[in-house]
Amino acid sequence: MPEPKQTKASPTMADTDIAIVRIAPETSFKNKAYEALKEAILKMDIYATPEPVMLDERALSERLGVSRTPIREAIAMLEQDGFVKTVPRRGIVVVRRTKAEIVDMIRAWAALESMAARLITTTARKKDISSLRDFFKDFSDDRLPQDNIEEYSRANIAFHQALISLSESPVLVDLTNDLLLHVRGYRQLTIGRKDRTATSLPEHLGIIEALEARDTELAEKRARDHTLGLAAYVEAHGQELFT
Amino acid sequence: MPEPKQTKASPTMADTDIAIVRIAPETSFKNKAYEALKEAILKMDIYATPEPVMLDERALSERLGVSRTPIREAIAMLEQDGFVKTVPRRGIVVVRRTKAEIVDMIRAWAALESMAARLITTTARKKDISSLRDFFKDFSDDRLPQDNIEEYSRANIAFHQALISLSESPVLVDLTNDLLLHVRGYRQLTIGRKDRTATSLPEHLGIIEALEARDTELAEKRARDHTLGLAAYVEAHGQELFT
DNA sequence: TCGTGGCATTTGGTATGCCAAAAACGTAAT
DNA sequence: ATTACGTTTTTGGCATACCAAATGCCACGA
């Protein structure tokens, strides 16, 4: 076989790449509903009210202007994610996590993040590691994290996600993102808590330094201990959050 | 309000707890279909054929004797799990993982398992730890794992799952089970590979010893390194498995 | 022979309607 | 007033019908 080059077959079609972009796949109602409901669930403060939050298929289908079918499929997906639980002939309830579950999730998060740190020391570029500091460049002795908790909390989350991303491990990224979605149900109340914020920034910098030094074991340990610290904190001080 | 005690209201119903179990919820077709399809997907050797494996909603609904609706909901769930991917107007394709993805998953597994080991050293009972040895009691110098790969492979999986369970962390258990389902798509070809089997058993025993000694750091390290070893092995020798 | 156009088929997406279980409501008997 | 019981309503589960996009097949014509 003479291998007729990699060019396309038909000579009738000009090979001049007129920028044709794969036409918009027009995501389905099912996926739209999934995204909409997921966002709505994450946005609401599930732990504010003592009584369980219920969803109604028919009401949702009206509000979103679609039939029940795509709604039900979206609900099925959310149930897989662990955000809701449908009880036959009863209703769909938004799942509330117990303190123990949240602590458990944070521990798993710690495990994944420490592995990410480990991988980063062997593969990431110095430049990318150093740029992790940028998340905290708006904070200093003149502008303490404790005094801007809301903002610091966002930077905190962004830092952790960027850190994991540096591992270039899709699995670690996806798993931690899922965990974070659940943990974040606590609108900053935990992660951005004032007394922890003070120690948080130095620990982050310590992690970055270990990564830059390519000290695999140290980076892993610092990443792990930092997040386990959060777990211990929630376990010790998170009572009031769970009615 | 005088708070009329926590007892149940109706005096007509005896409070004597006669073990009534919540009547069989008669799991829905949706869940039955989900389980059936999941098992079918796991049972088939996805990597045997080069061409993609497709599923057909209507065919499935006929074979399972239900309508398309519960089938579609089951498919939606499986898609969340990452087992299938539905392409609009094209079909439902059973997802095939690349070698890199499998390696990635094993690394995540290693992360979770090492955290489990860590937790076990602080909470599990000695007795439960020691019983982990039972999984390998059928193997000895007279009956080497290498000569009973199929059987050893099952013991291997069971050991790892039991290990994680000892952590008493539902999140770790669930996450690793999910990962294992994906990784196991390789019918023993990887985990039970002969050349690795020889070193596997001693490593397992080493993990158990560290757990018994309550040596948190060592147990964590051994658990991690053992599974990372598998990842490295697959990365190095897993070429032939991915067409 | 090869390319073109169009029709039939296949396939997932969505809307609708009905069903049964369970809860909510109401009413009558004690 | 309270309990018991029957009726209505609510709610998720499931089946079915139809739609539109993508594909494949096939006849027609250069």
Side-chain angles (χ1 to χ4, degrees):
Chain A
M1 234 194 256
E3 265 293 333
K5 216 56 160 69
Q6 299 277 358
T7 57
K8 300 302 184 300
S10 168
T12 62
M13 186 180 183
D15 244 352
T16 49
D17 281 312
I18 47 176
I20 299 282
V21 288
R22 189 76 170 128
I23 201 170
E26 203 65 67
T27 155
S28 63
F29 285 165
K30 170 181 70 175
N31 289 308
K32 284 181 182 174
Y34 172 73
E35 295 300 336
L37 291 178
K38 187 168 170 179
E39 187 187 330
I41 290 175
L42 293 176
K43 189 161 298 184
M44 73 171 73
D45 194 342
I46 322 168
Y47 302 90
T49 66
E51 61 275 2
V53 180
M54 307 290 288
L55 299 180
D56 179 72
E57 288 184 8
R58 283 168 238 259
L60 292 174
S61 73
E62 271 189 42
R63 299 246 310 233
L64 295 181
V66 298
S67 80
R68 286 175 56 209
T69 307
I71 298 288
R72 294 189 98 269
E73 292 173 351
I75 297 287
M77 292 193 280
L78 289 170
E79 188 163 13
Q80 284 300 101
D81 289 341
F83 289 117
V84 302
K85 170 127 187 74
T86 106
V87 186
R89 311 273 149 35
R90 283 302 201 75
I92 303 156
V93 49
V94 179
V95 172
R96 304 159 71 95
R97 300 292 171 184
T98 65
K99 188 182 78 167
E101 288 174 319
I102 294 292
V103 170
D104 201 12
M105 288 185 186
I106 298 177
R107 287 209 193 95
W109 168 21
L112 298 169
E113 187 159 316
S114 69
M115 177 59 74
R118 163 170 285 264
L119 296 178
I120 291 170
T121 59
T122 66
T123 62
R125 289 178 304 182
K126 175 76 178 277
K127 176 171 143 291
D128 293 329
I129 297 174
S130 301
S131 67
L132 286 175
R133 295 183 205 277
D134 294 347
F135 289 103
F136 307 108
K137 67 174 184 297
D138 290 339
F139 303 96
S140 65
D141 290 342
D142 292 334
R143 195 160 179 285
L144 293 171
Q146 305 94 88
D147 300 328
N148 303 273
I149 292 186
E150 185 79 11
E151 185 183 347
Y152 180 75
S153 182
R154 273 195 295 276
N156 194 348
I157 299 278
F159 163 76
H160 281 285
Q161 292 187 316
L163 171 63
I164 308 258
S165 294
L166 278 186
S167 71
E168 297 190 69
S169 160
V171 175
L172 292 182
V173 171
D174 291 347
L175 288 178
T176 51
N177 277 341
D178 286 350
L179 288 174
L180 272 179
L181 287 182
H182 285 283
V183 173
R184 283 188 68 179
Y186 299 99
R187 339 229 118 287
Q188 288 84 4
L189 284 180
T190 60
I191 297 181
R193 210 51 170 286
K194 201 167 187 175
D195 38 351
R196 247 194 79 76
T197 305
T199 63
S200 176
L201 212 167
E203 286 182 11
H204 287 167
L205 297 181
I207 294 172
I208 296 175
E209 285 165 15
L211 292 173
E212 289 174 328
R214 308 289 178 183
D215 189 333
T216 304
E217 304 300 327
L218 185 60
E220 175 186 76
K221 176 179 170 50
R222 284 184 176 171
R224 168 169 34 78
D225 290 350
H226 170 64
T227 304
L228 279 183
L230 174 60
Y233 178 84
V234 173
E235 187 163 42
H237 301 87
Q239 317 289 5
E240 68 275 16
L241 298 173
F242 301 83
T243 49
Chain B
M1 231 192 258
E3 266 293 331
K5 213 64 157 65
Q6 300 277 358
T7 55
K8 299 302 183 300
S10 169
T12 63
M13 186 180 182
D15 246 351
T16 50
D17 282 310
I18 48 174
I20 299 283
V21 288
R22 191 74 171 133
I23 203 171
E26 203 65 66
T27 154
S28 63
F29 286 165
K30 170 182 70 175
N31 289 308
K32 283 182 183 174
Y34 171 74
E35 294 300 335
L37 292 178
K38 187 168 171 181
E39 187 188 331
I41 290 175
L42 293 176
K43 189 161 295 181
M44 75 170 72
D45 195 343
I46 321 167
Y47 302 90
T49 67
E51 61 276 1
V53 180
M54 306 288 288
L55 299 180
D56 179 72
E57 287 184 7
R58 282 168 240 259
L60 292 174
S61 74
E62 271 188 43
R63 300 245 313 231
L64 295 181
V66 298
S67 80
R68 286 176 57 208
T69 308
I71 298 288
R72 293 190 98 273
E73 291 172 345
I75 297 288
M77 292 193 280
L78 288 170
E79 188 164 13
Q80 285 300 102
D81 290 340
F83 288 118
V84 303
K85 169 132 187 68
T86 107
V87 186
R89 313 274 150 36
R90 283 303 201 73
I92 303 157
V93 49
V94 178
V95 172
R96 303 159 71 95
R97 300 292 170 185
T98 65
K99 189 180 76 167
E101 288 175 319
I102 295 292
V103 170
D104 202 11
M105 288 185 186
I106 298 178
R107 287 208 194 96
W109 168 21
L112 297 169
E113 188 158 317
S114 68
M115 177 60 74
R118 163 171 286 264
L119 296 178
I120 291 170
T121 60
T122 67
T123 63
R125 289 178 304 181
K126 175 76 180 280
K127 175 171 144 289
D128 293 330
I129 296 174
S130 301
S131 67
L132 287 174
R133 295 183 205 276
D134 294 347
F135 290 104
F136 307 108
K137 67 174 185 293
D138 290 339
F139 303 97
S140 63
D141 290 343
D142 293 334
R143 195 160 179 284
L144 294 170
Q146 304 94 89
D147 301 327
N148 302 273
I149 292 185
E150 185 78 11
E151 185 184 345
Y152 180 75
S153 182
R154 273 195 296 276
N156 194 348
I157 300 277
F159 163 76
H160 281 284
Q161 293 187 316
L163 172 63
I164 308 256
S165 294
L166 279 187
S167 72
E168 297 189 68
S169 161
V171 175
L172 292 182
V173 170
D174 291 346
L175 289 178
T176 51
N177 277 341
D178 287 349
L179 288 173
L180 272 179
L181 287 182
H182 286 283
V183 172
R184 284 187 68 178
Y186 299 99
R187 335 231 120 287
Q188 287 85 4
L189 284 180
T190 60
I191 295 180
R193 209 54 167 288
K194 202 167 185 176
D195 38 350
R196 246 194 79 75
T197 306
T199 63
S200 176
L201 212 167
E203 286 181 11
H204 287 165
L205 298 181
I207 294 171
I208 296 175
E209 285 165 15
L211 292 174
E212 289 174 327
R214 308 290 178 181
D215 190 332
T216 303
E217 304 300 327
L218 184 60
E220 175 186 78
K221 175 178 169 53
R222 284 184 176 171
R224 169 171 30 81
D225 290 350
H226 170 64
T227 304
L228 279 183
L230 173 60
Y233 178 84
V234 173
E235 186 163 43
H237 303 88
Q239 318 288 4
E240 68 274 17
L241 298 173
F242 302 84
T243 50

